[in-house]
Amino acid sequence: MAAAVARVESLAGMTTIPTEYVRTEEERAKKAAEGPQIPVVDLEGEGCVEEVMKAATEWGVMHIVNHGIDGGLIERLRMAGKRFFDLPIEEKEKYANDQSSGKIQGYGSKLANNTSGQLEWEDYFFHLVFPEEKVDLSIWPKDPADYVEVTKEFAKAIRGVATNMFRILSLGLGLEPDRIEIEVGGMEDLLLQMKINYYPKCPQPELALGVEAHTDVSSLTFILHNMVPGLQVYHDDKWVAAKCVPDSLIVHIGDTLEILSNGRFKSVLHRGLVNKDKVRISWAVFCEPPKEKIVLRPLRELVTETAPAKFPPRTFAQHIQHKVFKKPIPAEQEGV
Ligand SMILES: O=C(O)CCC(=O)C(=O)O
Ligand SMILES: [Fe+2]
């Protein structure tokens, strides 16, 4: 039995938030910058390779429209996630993860892992959604009844969009269209992990953060939300609020593509804010290379005398160890 974890949802009715959720003055959200906004790219538009390249290199994030996923499917996914989180906490606890025993899939909340003991104003549901033969359906929500069917269908659709994005980014770098797709594991080994972020109403939103500032370790991350604002990205030394663009998906460049592109694509720093009046829900799909099988390193075509490799080779597992636990990256990699 895992130790009891306070679910943020159970705190939403308080008038002041517990100190663990109070951020330092520096971290707290000030007014986001007016001025340049996250680019919107039409994937069916003519100049889409150039536009994706501009967004990936200058911002590391973009909204994509005409991505090819049916609006009805997206609506069903939103409903399924909302209906799961609308269940009483006791029901959701049946799916609780247990991070201390390595069971990372399931219903969870951030555990204090650093000396500051700071917590995030969100509960989440995290699970692998693709490839289908690797998913563990026993931990997926059984309620609502269509959760499994809808999520499988969405995962397949978003996998198609990932292939399309990898193709566009490869072309933009002057490479073969399937190059990045292969380098991150292809259909068999690239893992799609879905995290449904549930941000309850917060009585003191100006003091808290839903998700603290971070970059994603993934290759790409796709984000869909319930049209409640909250995501901010760091651009030109300022926090910029993501607008709610109808029928779009947000795409983040993650650390993996920053490494493969030798720094040409930016792994975008971002965070999630919370608010007093509305629950925010987002669906993040992290497209992750296999943990050990592939050594991530700048693609050789992008390494030249004038642009030497900026990143030492590492497996995805080593990258996470390095980033989260500050472990050094082992110097020797086969084939360096
Ligand atoms: O809720 C969001 O929009 C962002 C969530 C996020 O950054 C994450 O889950 O990694
Ligand atoms: Fe993120």
Side-chain angles (χ1 to χ4, degrees):
M1 184 61 194
V5 179
R7 299 305 172 191
V8 175
E9 185 188 337
S10 70
L11 310 173
M14 302 174 113
T15 47
T16 55
I17 63 175
T19 51
E20 297 80 22
Y21 296 91
V22 176
R23 296 283 156 174
T24 62
E25 191 70 42
E26 266 188 345
E27 256 193 302
R28 287 178 205 168
K30 315 265 167 0
K31 228 180 149 29
E34 296 297 326
Q37 299 295 314
I38 299 173
V40 180
V41 178
D42 179 352
L43 289 191
E44 285 178 2
E46 228 162 72
C48 101
V49 174
E50 288 72 28
E51 285 175 32
V52 165
M53 282 303 282
K54 193 167 158 60
T57 53
E58 293 176 10
W59 285 79
V61 60
M62 67 201 90
H63 298 274
I64 55 171
V65 293
N66 285 324
H67 42 66
I69 302 187
D70 177 63
L73 173 59
I74 288 179
E75 220 25 69
R76 282 157 63 217
L77 183 88
R78 284 190 176 121
M79 275 311 296
K82 178 178 183 312
R83 286 173 61 189
F84 174 76
F85 275 97
D86 280 346
L87 295 172
I89 292 180
E90 312 83 78
E91 275 306 305
K92 289 180 290 209
E93 290 294 1
K94 294 179 183 163
Y95 302 89
N97 65 10
D98 183 7
Q99 296 175 62
S100 63
S101 70
K103 186 176 172 287
I104 58 166
Q105 298 197 83
Y107 177 55
S109 315
K110 184 172 174 139
L111 304 180
N113 60 353
N114 46 18
T115 42
S116 74
Q118 290 248 281
L119 297 177
E120 297 177 322
W121 196 266
E122 71 151 346
D123 303 315
Y124 61 80
F125 198 98
F126 180 77
H127 61 136
L128 178 77
V129 297
F130 195 94
E132 222 176 289
E133 46 306 349
K134 292 186 177 146
V135 307
D136 178 3
L137 286 180
S138 73
I139 62 101
W140 288 32
K142 293 174 181 50
D143 196 351
D146 65 349
Y147 184 94
V148 171
E149 179 196 326
V150 170
T151 303
K152 276 187 181 176
E153 201 180 321
F154 179 73
K156 243 185 257 166
I158 207 96
R159 185 63 184 84
V161 183
T163 292
N164 195 23
M165 288 300 300
F166 292 143
R167 185 184 61 82
I168 293 170
L169 291 165
S170 298
L171 291 173
L173 290 170
L175 305 168
E176 290 297 314
D178 58 356
R179 183 65 190 280
I180 292 177
E181 167 93 41
I182 293 168
E183 293 291 334
V184 295
M187 276 296 161
E188 270 178 32
D189 288 325
L190 183 79
L191 304 176
L192 267 52
Q193 314 266 15
M194 185 158 90
K195 185 177 174 217
I196 308 178
N197 297 293
Y198 181 86
Y199 306 100
K201 293 175 192 170
C202 180
Q204 295 176 295
E206 61 294 338
L207 301 183
L209 285 177
V211 179
E212 59 194 24
H214 66 282
T215 62
D216 293 345
V217 290
S218 63
S219 56
L220 293 174
T221 304
F222 293 92
I223 294 178
L224 174 74
H225 55 72
N226 64 343
M227 299 305 271
V228 173
L231 176 68
Q232 293 191 336
V233 304
Y234 202 64
H235 177 73
D236 273 352
D237 305 321
K238 291 187 276 288
W239 285 105
V240 177
K243 296 251 154 79
C244 295
V245 177
D247 304 318
S248 75
L249 294 169
I250 294 166
V251 187
H252 286 172
I253 299 285
D255 299 347
T256 296
L257 284 196
E258 181 171 270
I259 294 166
L260 294 184
S261 69
N262 200 24
R264 288 188 54 192
F265 299 148
K266 260 208 211 103
S267 184
V268 64
L269 186 68
H270 56 281
R271 65 182 184 181
L273 309 190
V274 289
N275 77 84
K276 228 183 171 103
D277 313 309
K278 285 194 173 136
V279 169
R280 179 165 185 269
I281 310 178
S282 71
W283 289 256
V285 177
F286 305 103
C287 303
E288 300 187 348
K291 283 213 144 62
E292 315 278 358
K293 201 166 173 180
I294 294 177
V295 177
L296 305 169
R297 57 158 61 100
L299 298 173
R300 63 186 141 67
E301 296 91 329
L302 306 178
V303 177
T304 61
E305 229 161 81
T306 50
K310 290 184 178 154
F311 305 91
R314 71 203 68 184
T315 63
F316 189 61
Q318 287 166 346
H319 178 68
I320 293 172
Q321 289 294 312
H322 172 63
K323 184 171 179 173
V324 182
F325 305 107
K326 311 280 179 276
K327 295 239 171 84
I329 291 169
E332 283 291 313
Q333 289 290 345
E334 209 182 318
V336 176

